[in-house]
Amino acid sequence: MPAPPAAPPRWLVPVVIVVVSIMVGGGLLARELYRLPEAAPDAILAQTSPARPLAEQPGPGIVELTPDAAAHPQNATVRGLLQTYFDSINNRDYELWKTAVTRERVQAKPKSTWLNDYRTTKDGSILVYRIDPVTDDELRALVGFTSTQDVKDAPAELPEPCVHWRLVLPLALESGAWKVDTVTGSTTPELSRC
């Protein structure tokens, strides 16, 4: 006849309880540490919406933020800057545009060129996906938006009346204010047809 199984040592049950308690507590602590911070109250968070028919493009001209972008400490500043930037294009207001961009960008795009480049452009469905720091006086904003324009004014690589854009806009601190800086050749925009 086999011997009856031995009873577990008395210390095993308390050790198991302590180990399980530590694991549960650690999991709860990790969840709190990695939770995204609450968005700032003035941030406009993007709402998921179905794709718009071509007749409703480019969509609203309001700059919205993803929760990730809204969690950045400069979210309100970046949102306000980009709102001015896109409003200036949509309203063909070169003087307003100059307040949103660096001096270098203004010098690279005189008024006559700027008015010609944006004469039929209308931007909308503007969404800031991310805001990343580069240095203390440089940020990068990953932005998506839709533009409508005459085909002759469309980007050469995608001559369409409606284009979805996704690009990184460099932002620079100039004279104490954030401005949209000159886009370098190291960033290539993603373009797709509406």
Side-chain angles (χ1 to χ4, degrees):
M1 176 169 210
R10 291 182 163 199
W11 56 266
L12 185 59
V13 172
V15 167
V16 169
I17 291 173
V18 169
V19 169
V20 169
S21 297
I22 290 172
M23 290 173 61
V24 169
L28 292 173
L29 179 62
R31 183 181 76 175
E32 290 301 313
L33 288 174
Y34 291 103
R35 181 180 293 184
L36 285 176
E38 294 294 322
D42 59 348
I44 296 179
L45 297 179
Q47 304 293 319
T48 48
S49 61
R52 288 182 174 77
L54 193 55
E56 294 177 19
Q57 296 290 0
I62 297 169
V63 175
E64 295 182 316
L65 306 171
T66 64
D68 186 50
H72 191 277
Q74 293 287 348
N75 77 72
T77 301
V78 170
R79 185 180 161 277
L81 170 64
L82 294 179
Q83 190 65 65
T84 300
Y85 178 80
F86 284 104
D87 285 350
S88 70
I89 292 169
N90 288 337
N91 296 320
R92 314 288 182 271
D93 188 339
Y94 183 75
E95 295 306 312
L96 181 61
W97 180 79
K98 285 175 31 179
T99 70
V101 300
T102 59
R103 287 184 291 273
E104 182 181 350
R105 194 152 183 184
V106 170
Q107 290 172 353
K109 189 87 73 174
K111 185 173 185 176
S112 59
T113 304
W114 187 88
L115 288 170
N116 186 57
D117 287 352
Y118 294 112
R119 66 182 167 210
T120 63
T121 300
K122 183 77 171 173
D123 294 329
S125 303
I126 308 155
L127 180 60
V128 181
Y129 292 96
R130 291 186 55 82
I131 302 168
D132 292 318
V134 178
T135 64
D136 287 344
D137 57 355
E138 290 181 68
L139 296 171
R140 297 286 182 262
L142 175 58
V143 181
F145 63 95
T146 300
S147 70
T148 57
Q149 61 278 314
D150 286 346
V151 173
K152 65 184 177 201
D153 296 327
E157 59 271 33
L158 189 62
E160 294 287 332
C162 184
V163 177
H164 294 303
W165 294 77
R166 193 167 161 151
L167 65 130
V168 175
L169 285 177
L171 309 177
L173 199 55
E174 185 177 85
S175 302
W178 286 100
K179 306 282 184 160
V180 178
D181 203 359
T182 304
V183 178
T184 64
S186 63
T187 61
T188 305
E190 294 177 23
L191 308 174
S192 62
R193 180 180 306 150
C194 297

